[in-house]
Amino acid sequence: MHTETEKEAEDTCPVHGPITCGFLQNLCGAFGWKLLLLIGLAEITLKGFVAGGGSGGLVGLPIEYLMREYNVPAADLQVYKSAVLIPWAIKPLFGLIADSMPILGFNRTPYFAINSIAGVTALFLIALVPSLSLSILLLMFFLVFMDIAWSDLLTEAVYSTHLRSKPEEGPNLISFIWGGIGIGKLVCISMVGVLMEHFGNRSPYLIAAPAAAFTLLITFLNLPEETSRRGRCCKKLGGSEMPLAIVGLVIGLGALSLALLSVFGGDLATKVTCAAILAVVALGLVSAALTPIVAKVNAFFFIQSICSFSISGASFYFFTDGPVEYPEGPHLSKEFYTSAIGLVSTVFSLFGMVIYNRWMQHWRYPFILMMGSILACVCNLVSCVVFTRTNVRLGISDKFFVLASDAVQMVVMEIAWLPNMLLMSQLCPKGCEATMFALLAGMGNLGANLGNYFGAFLLKMLGVQPTGEPNETAQFENLWLAAVVSAIAPMIPLALVFKLIPNISQKDPIKGLTSSSAGSPLSRFLEKYFGIEDIPSDDSTQELENMVSSADDNDSSDEEKVVC
């Protein structure tokens, strides 16, 4: 005999068997098979397997090797890679577009299709047309990561809605999502190096393209279970959400403009100058729009991200140049540099998570952030040993040193990263969690990208400009000095840690956070001159109901339509 609940679960979930009768069967019964398939396609397959968690995997790891084919200097390589990864920094703009500009009454389903078509087309062009100019190749990379980032955002919006209706199943669903992403990441990392070593640098894209094409099923099967509804375009540009809408729009367009400038024109000095202007505008605008406590925390993380001057473009050439290009170098193979190091990084990041959960959960925020920054600085300074070739003189092999140092760095990075994520989550007022988290995470990604621009300028100033051409040993003479600056610079914002970070335990709630923009300069300006009052985020649902009711009262037509 089956209970009524069990019968409903069988009707909604086609997954059966001893493996799925427990965890997956419960998820299927709680959320339905469509949501799980949506997550499987957009998160596990696209974000996990294709993108290696976001910026790596089959589509991200080969980028530097493809840039080598064009003899791109190290500084420009960093700028180009940052430009194509900009979509991760402008997710708030994507969210604003999807929420404010429905297509035929749909806010999500059509955007899944548009992004999938653009991304899959770009992947096939990268894989099959080796004669693409550098600018067109970079544009294709941009479309690929736009597909991944936007699909990730839309999926987050869908499962967030389901989580609010079934909060008791939230931990299980999150475990399914991130566990699946982790498995996808491990699979792609283990194979990408082998593919490039034996079949060429573009071969991973032949695997990524059909895998990414499966996301078209999201639209064809209507996995978000979205129905066409009446609405007004640009509804997010009014009411109490106007400050966040303004921030998302201005920063998103600014970052997009910087990406296009980086790909299609301008010298390095111009690009770095524009990056600096964008940094000032973004920090100033967010600080003016958000409630003071959120603005302070965002300012600390944003400044620290910018100060993390990346030197990855030069270190890539340092580790992968062959005997002809750099006779004294490590000469790491593609398999080792991508797959072996990637697998070690993934495994040891789990150790960092265990250490944090076991011993550091009760630390106060300022102290754990200081500890994480100090440990990261020490670990990064150790890289000077390999850049000066001291490890070789001490009889330590490059492969052992790289794996050991990378393992320690990943443990430290996880310890430093987890409190940041926890604090950002606590800074999201009830009622606008998704919007606020997207904005804060987007600012963090933008800061990291801008740090790559400033790191590129550092490499240019120090004359570290390898291109993968023969006999470029002299290009690495000052790489150790760039590494020292890159390691020490993130320590500078620690002088502000007690001013900008709340001195509370990670277990304590942040009190008095009722709105995303309460008390902000922009909110006061809009209230004074435009009569737009800020309301607590808890009341956002009631406000939306009032807006819908008002729209229905003013709409004399019974037809389903969208008024643009």
Side-chain angles (χ1 to χ4, degrees), residues 236-500:
K236 289 281 184 180
L237 295 180
S240 61
E241 294 189 17
M242 180 176 283
L244 293 184
I246 294 174
V247 169
L249 184 63
V250 174
I251 296 178
L253 293 178
L256 185 59
S257 300
L258 177 62
L260 293 175
L261 173 67
S262 301
V263 171
F264 290 109
D267 56 14
L268 180 61
T270 302
K271 297 172 185 177
V272 172
T273 301
C274 291
I277 294 173
L278 178 59
V280 173
V281 171
L283 180 59
L285 190 57
V286 171
S287 299
L290 298 183
T291 194
I293 185 172
V294 181
K296 289 180 180 180
V297 173
N298 173 77
F300 177 82
F301 289 139
F302 186 70
I303 294 172
Q304 192 170 55
S305 296
I306 289 178
C307 290
S308 301
F309 304 142
S310 173
I311 58 171
S312 60
S315 63
F316 166 74
Y317 285 114
F318 176 87
F319 287 115
T320 61
D321 271 359
V324 176
E325 296 83 14
Y326 183 26
E328 302 85 358
H331 310 150
L332 301 183
S333 67
K334 295 175 183 177
E335 289 184 52
F336 185 88
Y337 190 73
T338 57
S339 295
I341 294 179
L343 289 172
V344 168
S345 299
T346 303
V347 170
F348 276 87
S349 67
L350 299 178
F351 282 100
M353 188 180 300
V354 171
I355 293 173
Y356 168 79
N357 288 327
R358 177 65 179 85
W359 289 290
M360 297 182 174
Q361 283 191 2
H362 298 280
W363 288 29
R364 290 180 172 268
Y365 277 115
F367 293 100
I368 192 169
L369 293 176
M370 290 179 64
M371 176 62 70
S373 298
I374 292 171
L375 290 176
C377 175
V378 173
C379 290
N380 290 330
L381 286 174
V382 173
S383 63
C384 296
V385 174
V386 71
F387 290 146
T388 57
R389 314 305 293 133
T390 303
N391 64 298
V392 176
R393 291 192 289 272
L394 294 176
I396 304 174
S397 72
D398 288 311
K399 290 185 177 179
F400 175 81
F401 186 89
V402 169
L403 288 179
S405 60
D406 191 75
V408 175
Q409 285 180 357
M410 288 308 302
V411 172
V412 171
M413 186 179 299
E414 199 72 23
I415 293 173
W417 178 74
L418 287 172
N420 296 5
M421 298 301 295
L422 178 60
L423 183 54
M424 282 200 300
S425 300
Q426 292 178 334
L427 290 173
C428 299
K430 185 178 179 180
C432 65
E433 295 91 346
T435 302
M436 180 61 76
F437 194 87
L439 178 60
L440 295 177
M443 284 293 289
N445 291 330
L446 178 61
N449 279 350
L450 296 178
N452 287 339
Y453 281 82
F454 302 132
F457 186 71
L458 173 66
L459 293 176
K460 185 71 175 292
M461 294 294 293
L462 294 176
V464 184
Q465 287 293 309
T467 60
E469 295 180 343
N471 301 316
E472 58 180 13
T473 300
Q475 298 295 331
F476 299 110
E477 290 181 358
N478 290 330
L479 181 55
W480 70 272
L481 183 56
V484 170
V485 176
S486 176
I488 295 176
M491 300 283 290
I492 298 174
L494 292 182
L496 302 172
V497 67
F498 285 101
K499 293 287 186 180
L500 301 178

Side-chain angles (χ1 to χ4, degrees), residues 43 46-57 59-60 84-85 88 144-145 148-149 152 178 181 185 188:
E43 296 292 282
L46 187 61
K47 184 178 181 180
F49 176 69
V50 173
S55 61
V59 297
V84 301
L85 292 175
W88 288 106
V144 169
F145 286 108
I148 298 165
D152 178 51
W178 286 102
I181 291 174
K185 181 179 179 180
C188 74

Side-chain angles (χ1 to χ4, degrees), residues 109-155:
T109 310
Y111 288 102
F112 274 116
I114 294 171
N115 285 299
S116 295
I117 293 171
V120 171
T121 302
L123 285 170
F124 275 118
L125 286 174
I126 295 171
L128 301 175
V129 187
S131 60
L132 291 175
S133 67
L134 178 58
S135 297
I136 299 300
L137 178 66
L138 294 173
L139 180 60
M140 295 301 103
F141 283 133
F142 181 89
L143 292 177
V144 169
F145 286 108
M146 184 180 72
D147 174 24
I148 298 165
W150 205 331
S151 297
D152 178 51
L153 176 66
L154 294 172
T155 306

Side-chain angles (χ1 to χ4, degrees), residues 179-190:
I181 291 174
I183 293 173
K185 181 179 179 180
L186 284 174
V187 172
C188 74
I189 287 176
S190 63

